[in-house]
Amino acid sequence: MALPASDLTKKADGRTTMELGAVLPRTAEVKDGHLFIGGVDMVELAQTQGTALYVYDEEDLLNRMRTYRDSFHALYENSDVVYASKAFLNKEVARMACREGLCLDVSGGGEFACSQMVDFPAGRVFMHGNNKTPAELREAISAGIGRIIIDSRIELGRISQIAGELGVTQDIYMRITPGVEADTHEYIRTGCEDSKFGFTMNDDFAFRCVADVLAAPNVRLAGLHCHIGSQIFALHSFREAAAVMVKLLARIEREYGYRIEELDLGGGLGVAYTADDQPSTIADFAEMTTSAVKACCAEEGIELPRLLVEPGRSLVANAGVTLYTVGILKTLPGIRKYVAIDGGMSDNVRTALYHAVYEPTIANKADQPRTEIVTLAGKHCESGDAVVVDMPLQHPDLGDIVCVFGTGAYCYAMASNYNGQPRPAVIFVRDGQARVVTRRETYADVFSRDI
Ligand SMILES: *Cc1c(COP(=O)(O)O)cnc(C)c1O
């Protein structure tokens, strides 16, 4: 693994923190040169809690949950927002999603267990995964999980058998691969034909499998599901997917005489990682998906299904930031300027994994323009270990507190203990108060399972 070639032609943008636009959490502000979020001084917070540190703007999180819920309800009465918890899950965010009336999407037994630890009603939980184990399925079904999204015929047989043994009928969805190419990175594209997920529509396979699903005992086909990918900017991809899915619903109704009541269009709405990104808004996404479903249902002459969407990234990415302390500075003339931080691929693997791009700022110089191009290198033993590659930053000094924006999704969730690094704490900030919602790991935690 290596870093991408350095871009020596890149110019510092001279932006100050507040000029970073949509990447900022809602309550970000600069006072006396310091970055504040939720009314809390990020420099002080780094000093009291240590770095690396994940910080979430609670007001921003709540606002996004409510915007999703209310935008969909206003346009489409029979709709629900299902938080795709794999983007960021701890007990407090699960409690928050529960209080805000969202449903919860879990991939596998671990995330489901978390939901049950905070008494998230199992009936509002949806389970995904392309290879849920028999043990995971049994736990979920016996706990009364609301919906299981089946990914294959093998899994259909498994669920049917387990539900039979437990004496229940399990509501299931079929995950369909609608053949829509979303305009995004290939690692996070899931709706195209060559995907490990779901029932393909090639050779009419998905449609033919409906017969098996309808014939299987102890399950009820409650819905169809698709998820075309992630970090999608072009809303027309969602319209195309909705059209394919509604046509399939209508055809199943016509040819099997069976009405499927629910349609889940997945997640995937893109977010701003750089100051120049202009993603669609949650309201635009709601408008596009609900109008597409309504129009296609009218065209096909079928009743409106219950509509579900499963946002992950667009609920949490911009609500979260990561704080680090600058430990080493190294300039390789004509090559690159390295700013080494006390974290890296252990707390944010996305840059190494798929060249994710983030905007950094120095929290104690937040009113100063970003005048240099730097790479924030991690502290791990991989040359590809960096959180930010060739991005503008204020002139760095040892001991500065660097804030990387937009790290609320798929960072904590993918964190590891590489090099024995304890995972950072998660802090929620609001109204001038900071509270630890996940404590920092200790060295003892890291090796606690070793015999
Ligand atoms: C990952 C995932 C989501 C959430 O995707 P985002 O891009 O984070 O919104 C929703 N549904 C399913 C099935 C997923 O796998």
Side-chain angles (χ1 to χ4, degrees), residues 14-140:
R15 285 178 166 121
T16 58
T17 304
M18 293 312 290
E19 288 165 354
L20 298 182
V23 304
L24 299 174
R26 185 180 171 84
T27 66
E29 56 187 332
V30 173
K31 284 193 268 190
D32 299 328
H34 284 197
L35 171 65
F36 281 66
I37 299 174
V40 173
D41 184 339
M42 291 298 108
V43 181
E44 254 174 46
L45 187 67
Q47 278 154 4
T48 53
Q49 293 293 335
T51 48
L53 191 67
Y54 297 110
V55 184
Y56 284 83
D57 179 346
E58 196 171 340
E59 196 179 309
D60 187 306
L61 272 179
L62 280 170
N63 182 262
R64 286 171 202 271
M65 287 183 181
R66 290 172 187 168
T67 304
Y68 254 109
R69 184 193 63 199
D70 297 345
S71 308
F72 274 88
H73 277 168
L75 295 166
Y76 199 108
E77 206 181 318
N78 190 13
S79 64
D80 275 295
V81 175
V82 188
Y83 171 45
S85 71
K86 73 173 194 276
F88 165 55
L89 181 63
N90 67 5
K91 291 179 184 172
E92 189 57 12
V93 77
R95 286 186 201 107
M96 194 184 271
C98 188
R99 278 197 303 273
E100 295 306 316
L102 273 55
C103 299
L104 199 72
D105 182 339
V106 298
S107 6
E111 291 174 357
F112 182 61
C114 176
S115 77
Q116 297 309 282
M117 287 173 199
V118 298
D119 297 323
F120 203 105
R124 275 165 52 200
V125 180
F126 292 53
M127 183 176 274
H128 285 273
N130 70 308
N131 184 16
K132 312 166 197 75
T133 67
E136 288 174 319
L137 290 170
R138 186 174 293 274
E139 280 161 19

Side-chain angles (χ1 to χ4, degrees), residues 84 86 105 128 175 225 227 229-231 267-268 310-313 410:
K86 73 173 194 276
D105 182 339
H128 285 273
R175 178 166 179 164
H225 169 276
H227 172 68
S230 202
Q231 187 56 1
E310 299 174 331
R313 188 188 310 273
Y410 303 109

